[in-house]
Amino acid sequence: MRTARVFRLSMAHPGDLSELDDLIVRGTIKAADVAAIIGKTEGNGGVNDFTRGYFTQTLMALLSKHLGRPAAELIREIPCVLSGGTEGVMSPHYSVFCVGESEAAKHHPSALAIGTAFSAPVAAEEVGRRAHVESVAATVRAAMSDAGIERIEDVHFVQVKCPCVTVARAAAAIAAGKTPLTSDPNKSMAFARAAGAFGVALALSEIRPDDFTDASLLADFSIQSPRASISSGVEVESNEVVVLGNSPNWAGNLRIAHRPMSDALDIGAVVDVLADLGIAASPQVSAADSARIASVLVKCEPDRRGRIRGHRHTMLDDTDINAQRHIRGAVAGLVAGVIGDGRIFVSGGAEHQGPDGGGLIAVIASQEGAG
């Protein structure tokens, strides 16, 4: 049976893959088992965040060395999803998701399952439109099939990395007689994230094809997926998808749970998702239980209504610091305070990914009684 393993590794800088290299050299990880990477780099998280591409380039070079295969091939097979911005107490790190075969008897009736898939390149004029939504939905379904997850309710977290439209890509499309939704790269990133969230919702039957139009994206916030985590960047041209869930078809001692976060102060969701995995926070997770946690994945968004629980916030009015940097730092502090560890993936830009002003949290942990 397939078995999922997750390694949460630290980095000294965005190109530091020394911990992964050491694990491969020592035989703890087989390079061929690396299925996906999700991590945080200390960039700005914006259009010009070079740290994401720097990490990806270094990762593919490392795996190419160990596998004896061209990096250009590996980059089309292994999703590498990086979120820039490690504000506050967040620590730069990356989670390595490995898939191998196991002959050992299962310890539990259901275990962590991992599936990945890539779409065809998304044209600049399709970004943020229905064609983009449908492309993401098809890719999510392919990743679910890859994971062998048969029930939609067994999916707990869907990470998508979408392309956005740069000034150069927009100009090329216009020259070819095509019309991009926007030529503003920052707006394009937001529309791409919205399309990704709609695509996940469509794939998971949270919405139907006739529930939305192009005008619904970034407008109708009643449409949301509480299991979608969407990033966008210039370093990709296709939709890269990682589906995480639980399946009786997998062995191993890891399991994932998720909860929607109603707002940036929803510490209850953090406590509840841990409880779903048999981990108590009173008020902070114990050192013993902290060692059971393999990965923490969070999406967040500054409430566009400008208020949190009835009180005004100024994140959207700050000219000096981008609102996404504010919210990442704030939510990271909340979650890390409960977990007791700054190695958490907290990504901003949660449009249509959970409630407005909220988001979601997913935790992967070893199961009690697992050998």
Side-chain angles (χ1 to χ4, degrees):
M1 298 183 72
R2 284 186 291 176
T3 301
R5 295 190 299 159
V6 181
F7 299 83
R8 187 169 42 168
L9 308 177
S10 298
M11 52 178 137
H13 55 77
D16 176 26
L17 277 295
S18 58
E19 290 196 12
L20 175 58
D21 189 29
D22 182 59
L23 289 174
I24 293 174
V25 169
R26 290 194 284 116
T28 304
I29 291 177
K30 293 181 180 179
D33 288 350
V34 176
I37 303 283
I38 299 177
K40 290 294 300 185
T41 61
E42 63 255 49
N44 59 25
V47 175
N48 66 334
D49 185 347
F50 72 91
T51 64
R52 299 182 304 234
Y54 177 29
F55 179 97
T56 302
Q57 181 183 54
T58 308
L59 171 69
M60 298 307 164
L62 174 66
L63 294 177
S64 175
K65 178 186 73 172
H66 286 290
L67 293 172
R69 296 181 56 202
E73 289 182 5
L74 298 174
I75 202 170
R76 294 192 295 269
E77 299 175 5
I78 303 172
C80 183
V81 182
L82 285 310
S83 170
T86 50
E87 295 81 8
V89 298
M90 262 192 291
S91 181
H93 74 286
Y94 54 104
S95 292
V96 183
F97 295 83
C98 297
V99 176
E101 295 291 331
S102 173
E103 296 181 359
K106 291 193 302 175
H107 299 288
H108 298 274
S110 185
L112 177 68
I114 301 170
T116 63
F118 287 72
S119 74
V122 180
E125 65 272 15
E126 294 179 346
V127 172
R129 291 183 164 132
R130 178 174 285 269
H132 191 180
V133 173
E134 292 174 346
S135 172
V136 170
T139 313
V140 171
R141 294 186 188 107
M144 286 178 61
S145 177
D146 181 58
I149 297 176
E150 299 171 354
R151 303 192 312 163
I152 288 175
E153 56 266 37
D154 288 336
V155 174
H156 285 268
F157 189 82
V158 181
Q159 179 65 58
V160 183
K161 189 61 178 282
C162 294
C164 67
V165 177
T166 62
V167 171
R169 289 192 73 198
I174 293 170
K178 309 293 184 179
T179 305
L181 182 60
T182 176
S183 296
D184 182 325
N186 287 293
K187 290 181 179 178
S188 174
M189 289 181 76
F191 275 110
R193 291 192 297 265
F198 275 51
V200 173
L202 189 59
L204 300 183
S205 298
E206 294 165 341
I207 60 173
R208 297 167 301 180
D210 58 355
D211 284 342
F212 69 96
T213 65
D214 284 359
S216 304
L217 279 74
L218 299 184
D220 184 355
F221 287 96
S222 68
I223 297 176
Q224 57 183 250
S225 174
R227 293 176 280 181
S229 172
I230 318 297
S231 295
S232 178
V234 300
E235 70 272 22
V236 297
E237 295 183 355
S238 304
N239 302 305
E240 303 184 4
V241 174
V242 182
V243 166
L244 302 175
N246 299 312
S247 171
N249 299 319
W250 286 64
N253 69 339
L254 294 175
R255 188 171 176 85
I256 185 171
H258 81 281
R259 291 274 183 154
M261 293 184 70
S262 62
D263 58 32
L265 301 177
D266 191 2
I267 196 170
V270 184
V271 173
D272 288 345
V273 76
L274 291 167
D276 291 341
L277 295 166
I279 296 174
S282 55
Q284 191 174 82
V285 172
S286 69
D289 278 339
S290 181
R292 290 175 51 198
I293 297 174
S295 189
V296 179
L297 306 158
V298 182
K299 285 296 291 190
C300 58
E301 176 77 5
D303 195 307
R304 67 194 66 253
R305 296 160 294 191
R307 307 185 83 80
I308 300 176
R309 301 193 182 184
H311 302 289
R312 186 171 70 95
H313 72 75
T314 62
M315 290 184 280
L316 301 174
D317 300 315
D318 192 336
T319 304
D320 299 312
I321 302 174
N322 185 275
Q324 298 298 337
R325 308 204 78 166
H326 273 289
I327 196 67
R328 286 195 299 259
V331 174
L334 179 87
V335 176
V338 178
I339 302 293
D341 193 327
R343 295 172 302 161
I344 54 178
F345 176 91
V346 179
S347 173
E351 304 92 344
H352 303 285
Q353 300 154 62
D356 186 12
L360 74 148
I361 177 169
V363 176
I364 299 170
S366 59
Q367 303 184 67
E368 291 182 300

